[in-house]
Amino acid sequence: MPVGRTVLRVNLDGTAFCLHQGGGVGKISVTKRQCSGAPVESVPLSQRRCYMTHVAFICDHPDLPPHMPQVLVGNEATIPAETLEELNNALPAIVHLLRQRSAWNNAELLVEILKVLKSALVPFGLSGLQMMLLLDAASIHISWVVLRACFRAGICPCSLPAKKTWLLQPLDTHAIWPLKMCVCVRRLRERRRASSADGTATLREFLDCIATAIRQILQSHRWANAFDANGFGQNQSRLS
């Protein structure tokens, strides 16, 4: 590390949220036509295949989790252009909703997301910190355009071994599962569905569920132990 700087360990990873959080117990309605067969939850295929990408960040600094940006990416069919500004205004300041042709991440989009990360942390005195960014070995993460963007921003990229994120990546081992399943989007969204007249939740309500989950999980925890337990720091003395 440069003299006078401390390592700031940051982990970036993308995960998918399906807009239809189905498959649970107690969501079955039976019509007259269905009485002859087994009752099922009737959901259009378009809803079951409609996803958004959440590009998540966590870090080991105790004061920064509430300020780490979280980026949601939806496609043009899911997010009408005329609603994008309104939806963004309804989200917390750290949550950024992006609309593009595809809901999946790509190298060019990741470069823009890295700029969002750097600008979000500038007010907290990065001059004394050297950011180390842990990335999995997905091709978009280790492309030259992304690596150059890291170097320009003063970020040290660190690629994890392929097919070992389930063991080594802090977001995978400590954060994504509780974010998606423990409190979060599934249960929160079902409450919204149960309280609506037609049993559906709007896109704005779905985004509000994700924002609540981010606040309860990603923003409310200190993640230094996750990095230590996975072998990044303290000479692996705190390896889980």
Side-chain angles (χ1 to χ4, degrees):
M1 286 296 106
V3 176
R5 288 198 177 190
T6 304
V7 178
L8 174 66
R9 296 169 293 179
V10 179
N11 184 204
L12 173 155
D13 193 25
T15 188
F17 280 114
C18 183
L19 269 67
H20 171 64
Q21 297 283 310
V25 176
K27 294 178 272 186
I28 308 299
S29 60
V30 181
T31 66
K32 237 180 224 185
R33 191 176 62 181
Q34 294 173 322
C35 285
S36 58
V40 295
E41 185 179 13
S42 180
V43 179
L45 187 63
S46 60
Q47 289 186 27
R48 287 182 275 138
R49 289 184 175 178
C50 188
Y51 283 85
M52 298 185 73
T53 295
H54 174 198
V55 181
F57 288 98
I58 59 172
C59 74
D60 65 343
H61 195 288
D63 299 328
L64 291 182
H67 308 285
M68 295 297 288
Q70 310 295 328
V71 180
L72 304 175
V73 185
N75 63 26
E76 295 172 350
T78 303
I79 307 173
E82 63 273 14
T83 67
L84 180 61
E85 184 177 359
E86 177 187 350
L87 292 172
N88 258 313
N89 290 338
L91 291 169
I94 66 153
V95 181
H96 305 264
L97 179 63
L98 305 180
R99 177 181 183 267
Q100 59 174 18
R101 187 171 183 180
S102 168
W104 307 115
N105 199 2
N106 58 68
E108 290 72 24
L109 178 61
L110 186 53
V111 169
E112 297 305 313
I113 291 174
L114 290 175
K115 293 177 183 177
V116 172
L117 171 66
K118 186 66 182 291
S119 63
L121 298 184
V122 163
F124 301 96
L126 290 181
S127 58
L129 299 172
Q130 175 59 59
M131 191 186 307
M132 181 183 73
L133 181 64
L134 298 177
L135 300 156
D136 64 37
S139 59
I140 64 169
H141 292 163
I142 56 177
S143 67
W144 279 114
V145 64
V146 171
L147 295 178
R148 280 195 294 264
C150 286
F151 298 143
R152 282 197 299 267
I155 297 170
C156 293
C158 178
S159 179
L160 298 170
K163 300 183 180 180
K164 290 294 183 287
T165 55
W166 62 273
L167 179 66
L168 298 175
Q169 179 157 251
L171 273 164
D172 273 357
T173 58
H174 291 77
I176 295 296
W177 179 254
L179 177 71
K180 297 180 80 167
M181 301 301 295
C182 189
V183 251
C184 300
V185 177
R186 182 185 294 271
R187 293 183 187 177
L188 292 169
R189 189 169 187 272
E190 290 314 316
R191 291 174 190 165
R192 296 297 179 92
R193 288 183 63 189
S195 63
S196 68
D198 60 356
T200 61
T202 65
L203 176 60
R204 178 168 177 173
E205 289 174 323
F206 179 71
L207 293 173
D208 184 54
C209 291
I210 296 179
T212 301
I214 287 171
R215 184 171 62 252
Q216 292 180 359
I217 301 298
L218 299 186
Q219 291 186 313
S220 301
H221 289 72
R222 295 187 175 185
W223 299 106
N225 288 340
F227 288 90
D228 290 339
N230 288 13
F232 302 100
Q234 301 297 325
N235 296 318
Q236 298 189 334
S237 62
R238 298 179 183 174
L239 193 66
S240 68

